[in-house]
Amino acid sequence: MKSWAIGLIGLVLMFSSCSEVPEKEPLVISVDPWVGSAPFYYAHARGWLEEINIQLILAPSIGENLRIYESGASDMFTATQHEYFVERKKYLDLIPIIHYDRSFGGDMVMSNKTNDELKNSSDVIHLYIEPDTVNEEMANYWIADHNISKKRLRIHSRVQDEIVKMKSDPKIQMVLVTYNPHNFVLEKQGFHEIESTKNDNYLVIDAVYVSASFYGKNKETLNKLSQTVKRAMRVYDTDPKEFYEKVKPYFGNPTYQEFVAMKRNVQWFQTPPPPKLTQRMNAIGFPTKDLIL
């Protein structure tokens, strides 16, 4: 009897070892270099994303982030409402699921002239933007806000890696659309801020986007992602220096003072956004019904 029992136990162990459930493939999120996305970098650095089976790809620019998603290398991506509306034309079931920040000075228009000089001149304005990104939105805000004739504009398409290398030429009127942390470099190269998202007319929000079908299959993990991002935000609230030490390599190692200055230019959301902001999002056709709150 004893030998029969031992044999049965061995048989059960053999079958159980052969029928182990294979590990689930990690979900992949691609994120561009933007101070508002710092909670994702912090969670990655601490290993928190790995704990919930999520891998992070750090894209060098907004445009490259979209290409990573379009290639199928990532399952979800971070972006502003502008990129969402562009991508939704290709992916009809694309939805925002985690709205984590609003730019509040972090996106900006810079120039080697003042707004008055640009408005009062009849000279050509050389406008540099990263195409098919929120740079276009910012440029349009600035053009409308300051009554700039589009006939005067000569638009140059550049990725941010190229824009950040530009130097002021005093002989021509130059306007660049950029965002933190690139402005620190551009300030040293002869440019200054002439507008930013601190102006209420300039609405820029950031979210995580996925297909509706992907969301339906991965709700549990995506809910964990939302909670993990909020957990990282709380670390900044209680210990900003420790937070900075973990994320500074993702931004090219800015000083602590520079990082804190960048952080002032975004509003993170650990709770549902204020009703006024929700109304503005609805007004531009940005869906809020699937947001994880």
Side-chain angles (χ1 to χ4, degrees), residues 224-249:
K224 288 179 182 177
L225 174 61
S226 177
Q227 293 307 312
T228 299
V229 170
K230 292 172 184 174
R231 180 184 176 191
M233 291 176 182
R234 289 194 293 272
V235 173
Y236 183 85
D237 291 340
T238 57
D239 194 349
K241 193 70 184 288
E242 196 272 338
F243 186 97
Y244 158 76
E245 291 295 339
K246 284 287 191 294
V247 303
K248 66 181 181 180

Side-chain angles (χ1 to χ4, degrees), residues 33-41 100-101 206 229 233 251 262 266 268:
W34 157 242
V35 66
S37 300
F40 294 91
Y41 312 148
Y100 57 91
D101 82 31
D206 289 279
V229 170
M233 291 176 182
F251 293 101
M262 286 194 291
V266 295
W268 285 338

Side-chain angles (χ1 to χ4, degrees), residues 25-43:
E25 283 290 313
L27 309 186
V28 180
I29 182 170
S30 53
V31 184
D32 55 85
W34 157 242
V35 66
S37 300
F40 294 91
Y41 312 148
Y42 184 86

Side-chain angles (χ1 to χ4, degrees), residues 10 56 59 88 159 171 176 181 188 207 227 237 255 274 288 292:
L56 180 141
R88 195 176 59 177
V159 297
K171 297 190 295 294
L176 320 176
K188 296 171 184 174
Q227 293 307 312
D237 291 340
T255 67
T288 58
I292 302 169

